[in-house]
Amino acid sequence: MLPKLLLSLLPLVVPVLSQAGAQYVDPDNGIPFWGLTEPVHGMTLGWIFPPLDSTGSLANEFIGEIVAPIDTLWAGVSPGGQMLQNLLLVAWPYDGSIVRSARYATDYVQPLAMSGPVLTDLPSTKVPKLRYTGTNSIPVNTFGVPAWVFSSIGVDTPADPQSTFQEHTDFGFFGLDWSQAHASADDYNNWAAGGTGGGTPTTTISTPTTTPTQPPVTATPYDYIVVGAGPGGLITADRLSEAGKSVLLLERGGPSTAQTGGTYGPTWAQGHNLTKFDIPGLFETMFTDSNPFWWCKDVNSFAGCLLGGGTSINGALYWIPPDSDFSPYVGWPTSWGNHGPYTAKVKSRLPSTDHPSTDGKRYLEQVSTVVSQLLNAQGYTQITINDNPDFKDHSYGYSAYDFLNGKRGGPVATYLQTAKIRKNFTLKQYVYVLNVVRNGAQITGVKTNDTSLGPDGVIPLTSKGRVILSAGSFATPRILFRSGIGPSDMINLVQNDATAGPNLPPQNQWINLPVGMNVQDNPSINLVFTHPSVDAYDNWAQVWANPRPADSSQYLKDQSGVLSQASPRMNFWRAYGASDQRTRYLQGTARPGAASVTTVYPYNASQIWTITVYLSTGITSRGRIGIDAALTARALVNPWFTDPVDKQVLIQGINDVLSTVRNVSGLTLITPDNTTTITDYVNNYDPGSLNSNHWVGSCSIGNSSSTAVVDQNTKVFNTNNLFVIDASIIPGMPMGNPHGMLMSAAEQGVAKVLNLTGGP
Ligand SMILES: Cc1cc2nc3c(=O)[nH]c(=O)nc-3n(C[C@H](O)[C@H](O)[C@H](O)COP(=O)(O)OP(=O)(O)OC[C@H]3O[C@@H](n4cnc5c(N)ncnc54)[C@H](O)[C@@H]3O)c2cc1C
Ligand SMILES: *[C@@H]1O[C@H](CO)[C@@H](O)[C@H](O)[C@H]1NC(C)=O
Ligand SMILES: *[C@@H]1O[C@H](CO)[C@@H](O)[C@H](O)[C@H]1NC(C)=O
Ligand SMILES: *[C@@H]1O[C@H](CO)[C@@H](O)[C@H](O)[C@H]1NC(C)=O
Ligand SMILES: *[C@@H]1O[C@H](CO)[C@@H](O)[C@H](O)[C@H]1NC(C)=O
Ligand SMILES: *[C@@H]1O[C@H](CO)[C@@H](O)[C@H](O)[C@H]1NC(C)=O
Ligand SMILES: *[C@@H]1O[C@H](CO)[C@@H](O)[C@H](O)[C@H]1NC(C)=O
Ligand SMILES: *[C@@H]1O[C@H](CO)[C@@H](O)[C@H](O)[C@H]1NC(C)=O
Ligand SMILES: *[C@@H]1O[C@H](CO)[C@@H](O)[C@H](O)[C@H]1NC(C)=O
C-alpha cells in the first residue's frame, strides 16, 4: 500500500492519557487515535488512518496530532522512525498559534522543507492538516517504530515555518501497530471535515484512557547492533566499540566457558571452574551428550547457539590463512587480497599452538607417527603448519589450535574480554533476533523476542546507525528472509507463517538477492584404520563420565596432558589438477578413535584411528541454504559433489593417501575394508555424513547483486545500512577449517565498515 500521511496539531496542554503504542480517545475532539504519551516531556502523538482499502487521495493521508506542553520550544514526529528519507513533521507555538512544516532529510544535516505534502487545518481545532504524496511510506498494514523529537531550544526564526533549528535535545522511539489505526471511511471523512466524536473503536482491544497502567517500554538506540556472538560478531563488536561507537551485541544463547559465567561441566571437574566448553579433550562429547543445549534447535545442521557460536563447541583447529583464501580464485573481490595486516591482527590477539598442553609436551601422538610414515612414503614434507601457511601441497604437521593455557581460547577469551570492559559495548544474551525493521533500503532497528528491550521487542538505531548480521551461515539468511530480503520463494514461506508473516515489509519493498545460493562445505570422507601402536582412547567415550584418572588429575592440576587438546593430532594437504583445469586441494585430519566402523573382518577396537579426507580450495560444487515452512534453516540442496569432478578428485586423493598403507608395518585399513572399492565406498557414502560443518557462501561477497548478497564493504546490496560479517560472506571454500580465516575476514570487514562514509 502506498504512503499516506497527514497531521494536525493541537496547541493544548492535555493530561497524560494513553499507554505506549495503544488506542486513546482525545477528549477535545473525540477521535480514537492510535499513539502514545511519552512520559518524559508529556507529549502525546496520535494517528488515525482511513480504511486500509482506501483508494485515490484518501489512500494518501491521515489525521494526526502532537499534543505538547506549551513550554515545548519545538517538537516533531517521524512516522518512519529514522531521520534519513523519512517525513519529519515539526511544529512550535508562535504568537498564539502553531507554526508547522514538513521536512525531509537526505543526509544527516538540517532537514529541508519537503515539497509535495499539503498541510490542511482541521476546522474544528484550527490547526493544520497535512496531505502528503511522496516516495516514502508508513507500513500501514503492519507494525512500525515511529519516533518523537523534542527540543528545549527554540527555532531560529519562529515566524517562519521553514525556520532552521538546532538538533533536537531529546528523542525516542515506540512501537505502534499501524494496522490497527484505521477508522471507517464515514468516521474518517467526518473528522477530516471537522466533525468530532462518534468514533467507534476499531478493535476490541480496550485500552484505559484515563490512567496509564504500566510504564511505556522505552528503547535505547545504538550506533551499531551486531547480531550473533560467534567469531564474526565478536571481532566486529570489539573493533566497533574500540572505535568509539556505541555497540549492542545480541546473542540468542547463553554463557559457554567459565570466564563467561558458564557452569556446565563434568562431575570430575566440579569445583575447578572448568566447563565442557573449556576442556579441549571434551570436544568429541559435544556429539554424545544427553542434554546438548548448545546446538541451535532451529537449524538442521550442527551450529553452536551460545556465546562464541561455533568457536565454543568446535574442534578449534586453527589455520593461519594462505593468500589463496582471499584470492579471486575462490571468489573474493580483488579489493580483499591484502589480508596480511588483518591476519596479523588476529595472530597478535590469538596465537596458534600445535602443543596446547601447558607443559609444552605432546600426548597421545601414536597416530602422528603412523601418519608421518604413511605420508613420507608419498613425498610429503613435515612442517610447523602455521609457520608456512602457503605451503599446502605435500605438507603435513601437528594439528594447530587456538587453545590458550590448556583451555578453549578463541574469540571469547580474547576479543570479548577487551570489548566487555568498554562502557559503550553492551552484550545481551538470550535475545533472539527475528528480523531487521526497515523502511525500504533504510534499516531502523532490529526486532527481537524480548519486549523489555524496546516496544514490541524492537531496538532502534541512532540516526546514522547500522545493523551487522553475524548469525552464521544458516541463521543470517533466515534473518534476511524474515526481513523481506532474498529469493521470493523463501520470503513467501515467511509470509505464510502466522507469526513471522505480519512482520514482513510490504511486498513492494522486498529485495531480491541470491541469499542462500552459492553455498559450499568441504565434502569429507572418513577412512578408519588399526595400528598396533595406536591407543584409540576409547574413542573419547569415557572422558565425560569416567576419564582415565591419571589424565583427569593431570588436567585439573595444571591444564596439561591428553585432555588439554581436542582429538585431532595431525593434518596434511595436497594439490590436485583435474580435467576441468582447476586446482583443488585435499586436506587430511587424523585422530585416535573412530565414530563408526564397517567391516566384515574382526578388528581390535583399542587400536582404531581415523583420517578424515576433505576437499577444500578449488571445489566447484554448490548447494543452497534456505528455510522450510516451519522456518527451520536447512540445506535445500546439499553442496557436496554436485559437480562430478569434485568427486573424481576426492576419489583420486583417497587412493593416493592409501597408496602406501603397505609401507607402514602393521597398518590395516578397516573402513572401507578390502571387500569394497574406494569408488564404491565414496559413491555409497551417506550424503549427510559428507557434512564438515564448514558452511560458507550463503551471503557471498561480490561485485554484483545478481551473483552476490553483500558488496565489497560487506553491505547488503540495495540497502543503506545493513551489513553481514560472518562465515556466510566467504564466497568459496578456504584451504582448511575456516574459523581462522574467518577471523581475518572479520577484521578486514569491520575495517571496511568503519571506513565507509555515512555511518555513525
Ligand atoms: C561441530 C563443529 C565443529 C567445527 N570444527 C571446526 C574446527 O575445528 N576449526 C574451524 O576452524 N572451524 C570449525 N567449525 C566451523 C566454525 O566453528 C564456524 O565456521 C564458525 O563458528 C562460523 O562463525 P560465524 O561467526 O559465521 O557463526 P557462528 O559461529 O555460527 O555464530 C553465530 C552466532 O549467532 C547466534 N545467533 C544465531 N541466530 C541468532 C539470532 N536470530 N539472534 C541472535 N543470535 C543469533 C548464535 O547463537 C551464534 O552464537 C566447526 C563447526 C561445527 C559446527
Ligand atoms: C567508546 O569506548 C572507547 C574505548 O574505551 C572510547 O575511546 C570512546 O570514547 C567511547 N565512546 C563513547 C561514545 O563512549
Ligand atoms: C572462573 O574463572 C574465570 C576465568 O577463567 C574467572 O573470571 C572467574 O572469576 C572464575 N570463577 C570462580 C568462581 O572462580
Ligand atoms: C612402498 O611399498 C612398495 C611395495 O609395496 C614399494 O614398491 C615402494 O618402494 C615403497 N615405498 C617407499 C617410499 O618405501
Ligand atoms: C528469546 O529467545 C531465546 C533463545 O531462544 C530464549 O532463550 C529467551 O528466553 C527468549 N526470550 C523471551 C523473553 O522469550
Ligand atoms: C587390542 O589392542 C590392545 C592395545 O593395543 C592390546 O592390549 C590387546 O592385547 C589387543 N587385543 C587383541 C585381542 O589383540
Ligand atoms: C582382506 O583383509 C583381511 C583382513 O584384514 C585379510 O585377512 C585378507 O587377507 C585381505 N584379503 C585380500 C585379498 O587382501
Ligand atoms: C566481478 O567479479 C567477478 C568474479 O566474482 C569478476 O569476474 C569480474 O571481473 C568482476 N567485475 C568487476 C567490474 O570487478
Ligand atoms: C577507505 O576508504 C577510502 C575511500 O573511501 C579508500 O580509498 C581506502 O582504500 C579505504 N581503506 C580501506 C582500508 O579500506
Side-chain angles (χ1 to χ4, degrees):
M1 174 166 268
L2 276 177
K4 40 169 115 182
L5 304 184
L6 186 356
L7 179 78
S8 77
L9 294 164
L10 301 172
L12 303 174
V13 183
V14 173
V16 173
L17 289 178
S18 74
Q19 286 183 299
Q23 191 177 39
Y24 67 94
V25 177
D26 184 296
D28 181 61
N29 52 36
I31 299 175
F33 286 105
W34 282 80
L36 130 156
T37 297
E38 60 76 28
V40 182
H41 310 286
M43 290 198 298
T44 297
L45 317 153
W47 288 265
I48 190 75
F49 292 80
L52 263 174
D53 57 2
S54 300
T55 55
S57 66
L58 198 57
N60 283 311
E61 66 177 68
F62 64 73
I63 300 168
E65 64 177 12
I66 300 175
V67 185
I70 201 73
D71 58 351
T72 302
L73 289 183
W74 66 267
V77 65
S78 169
Q82 287 288 302
M83 178 171 172
L84 277 197
Q85 264 105 42
N86 265 309
L87 172 73
L88 173 69
L89 297 167
V90 292
W92 53 85
Y94 175 67
D95 198 18
S97 70
I98 290 293
V99 180
R100 75 289 182 280
S101 62
R103 308 291 182 103
Y104 191 79
T106 52
D107 206 345
Y108 294 99
V109 294
Q110 178 81 43
L112 301 175
M114 187 176 188
S115 60
V118 180
L119 292 156
T120 314
D121 287 355
L122 273 181
S124 68
T125 54
K126 299 189 174 50
V127 291
K129 173 179 175 184
L130 167 71
R131 177 169 284 122
Y132 163 72
T133 50
T135 55
N136 154 281
S137 67
I138 298 179
V140 294
N141 57 359
T142 179
F143 180 85
V145 189
W148 54 264
V149 298
F150 170 93
S151 184
S152 55
I153 300 171
V155 305
D156 300 328
T157 322
D160 176 7
Q162 302 308 336
S163 171
T164 53
F165 46 78
Q166 292 181 35
E167 198 179 353
H168 43 77
T169 53
D170 196 6
F171 73 107
F173 297 87
F174 57 101
L176 191 61
D177 185 356
W178 297 113
S179 71
Q180 302 212 61
H182 296 267
S184 71
D186 284 354
D187 283 341
Y188 183 87
N189 288 329
N190 173 39
W191 300 323
T196 59
T200 40
T202 51
T203 75
T204 55
I205 299 168
S206 71
T207 304
T209 55
T210 48
T211 352
T213 53
Q214 61 189 60
V217 178
T218 55
T220 308
Y222 292 87
D223 292 341
Y224 282 92
I225 298 174
V226 181
V227 180
L234 287 169
I235 289 178
T236 300
D238 182 43
R239 294 301 185 192
L240 293 171
S241 59
E242 178 187 52
K245 314 302 176 187
S246 71
V247 177
L248 176 65
L249 176 60
L250 296 173
E251 167 56 47
R252 64 182 280 187
S256 48
T257 56
Q259 190 180 33
T260 65
T263 56
Y264 183 65
T267 315
W268 59 263
Q270 254 171 31
H272 291 267
N273 198 14
L274 290 164
T275 68
K276 185 183 191 84
F277 312 103
D278 287 287
I279 303 172
L282 295 178
F283 166 60
E284 295 287 342
T285 75
M286 298 295 172
F287 309 97
T288 56
D289 198 296
S290 59
N291 173 33
F293 61 86
W294 51 89
W295 300 126
C296 309
K297 299 303 188 295
D298 54 10
V299 174
N300 190 34
S301 186
F302 286 125
C305 268
L306 73 177
L307 208 49
T311 55
S312 288
I313 50 83
N314 71 14
L317 285 170
Y318 179 53
W319 311 120
I320 303 304
D323 292 342
S324 64
D325 276 3
F326 290 98
S327 70
Y329 185 64
V330 295
W332 287 94
T334 51
S335 55
W336 279 67
N338 182 27
H339 73 98
Y342 307 103
T343 298
K345 284 180 165 204
V346 175
K347 282 168 71 175
S348 73
R349 294 297 300 274
L350 191 50
S352 86
T353 177
D354 63 5
H355 49 280
S357 176
T358 54
D359 60 7
K361 296 183 188 156
R362 294 197 175 91
Y363 291 82
L364 206 67
E365 289 293 350
Q366 305 89 359
V367 164
S368 305
T369 308
V370 177
V371 168
S372 52
Q373 288 169 11
L374 186 74
L375 298 180
N376 285 343
Q378 295 168 34
Y380 278 69
T381 304
Q382 178 164 7
I383 59 169
T384 299
I385 294 167
N386 281 337
D387 287 354
N388 290 275
D390 291 306
F391 183 4
K392 286 294 191 303
D393 186 12
H394 285 88
S395 65
Y396 72 90
Y398 293 110
S399 301
Y401 296 96
D402 54 354
F403 296 136
L404 296 171
N405 306 316
K407 295 191 285 188
R408 189 176 292 275
V412 166
T414 51
Y415 289 91
L416 177 59
Q417 302 310 313
T418 45
K420 80 177 192 193
I421 57 179
R422 294 191 189 104
K423 285 202 171 61
N424 47 13
F425 170 85
T426 306
L427 168 68
K428 298 270 187 214
Q429 300 178 74
Y430 299 118
V431 176
Y432 190 101
V433 172
L434 300 163
N435 55 270
V436 301
V437 181
R438 64 187 178 90
N439 178 13
Q442 189 72 18
I443 314 308
T444 58
V446 300
K447 184 170 165 66
T448 72
N449 70 339
D450 189 340
T451 52
S452 75
L453 297 176
D456 210 24
V458 174
I459 307 173
L461 292 171
T462 57
S463 60
K464 299 181 186 180
R466 292 167 166 170
V467 170
I468 299 186
L469 300 180
S470 302
S473 291
F474 286 86
T476 289
R478 173 169 43 203
I479 294 170
L480 290 171
F481 302 146
R482 294 186 67 162
S483 308
I485 300 170
S488 58
D489 59 347
M490 294 292 103
I491 305 177
N492 283 328
L493 287 171
V494 176
Q495 194 164 43
N496 291 337
D497 183 87
T499 311
N503 293 323
L504 276 176
Q507 187 155 2
N508 62 8
Q509 290 189 16
W510 292 5
I511 298 172
N512 180 24
L513 290 174
V515 178
M517 309 301 189
N518 207 43
V519 165
Q520 294 199 314
D521 174 50
N522 306 110
S524 61
I525 298 271
N526 286 331
L527 306 172
V528 184
F529 306 84
T530 55
H531 190 273
S533 73
V534 165
D535 176 355
Y537 212 66
D538 307 304
N539 189 36
W540 308 85
Q542 304 302 321
V543 291
W544 178 257
N546 187 24
R548 296 184 190 177
D551 291 342
S552 52
S553 49
Q554 180 179 2
Y555 185 77
L556 291 178
K557 186 169 143 273
D558 59 4
Q559 286 77 61
S560 68
V562 176
L563 297 172
S564 63
Q565 183 168 351
S567 52
R569 288 296 182 276
M570 206 58 140
N571 288 90
F572 58 90
W573 280 269
R574 178 169 173 176
Y576 281 93
S579 53
D580 61 3
Q581 314 303 319
R582 284 181 65 85
T583 301
R584 288 171 178 76
Y585 286 81
L586 176 137
Q587 178 189 346
T589 299
R591 71 169 180 95
S596 75
V597 174
T598 309
T599 177
V600 300
Y601 302 110
Y603 64 96
N604 188 336
S606 300
Q607 301 177 348
I608 57 175
W609 66 281
T610 303
I611 294 178
T612 303
V613 186
Y614 308 82
L615 214 54
S616 68
T617 293
I619 59 170
T620 41
S621 295
R622 300 275 175 183
R624 182 180 181 191
I625 280 173
I627 51 175
D628 58 24
L631 308 188
T632 295
R634 57 172 66 242
L636 301 177
V637 177
N638 283 333
W640 319 284
F641 299 153
T642 61
D643 180 349
V645 181
D646 286 343
K647 188 191 268 186
Q648 280 165 23
V649 174
L650 191 56
I651 288 172
Q652 183 186 345
I654 291 171
N655 280 314
D656 286 342
V657 167
L658 297 174
S659 65
T660 52
V661 166
R662 288 194 186 147
N663 298 64
V664 183
S665 164
L667 182 60
T668 306
L669 176 69
I670 60 169
T671 300
D673 66 19
N674 60 15
T675 64
T676 307
T677 66
I678 294 303
T679 303
D680 285 347
Y681 182 60
V682 172
N683 280 334
N684 297 328
Y685 210 74
D686 169 20
S689 299
L690 292 167
N691 188 344
S692 296
N693 302 306
H694 297 162
W695 301 82
V696 300
S698 54
C699 301
S700 281
I701 196 168
N703 54 19
S704 152
S705 63
S706 59
T707 56
V709 174
V710 301
D711 69 14
Q712 302 187 19
N713 291 309
T714 74
K715 185 166 72 65
V716 175
F717 282 107
N718 301 323
T719 71
N720 298 335
N721 56 340
L722 180 60
F723 297 78
V724 178
I725 300 181
D726 63 20
S728 71
I729 68 169
I730 298 171
M733 229 49 233
M735 186 63 76
N737 313 60
H739 90 270
M741 73 78 61
L742 168 59
M743 290 197 274
S744 171
E747 286 276 16
Q748 185 165 181
V750 69
K752 285 177 160 53
V753 171
L754 280 166
N755 188 41
L756 186 65
T757 56

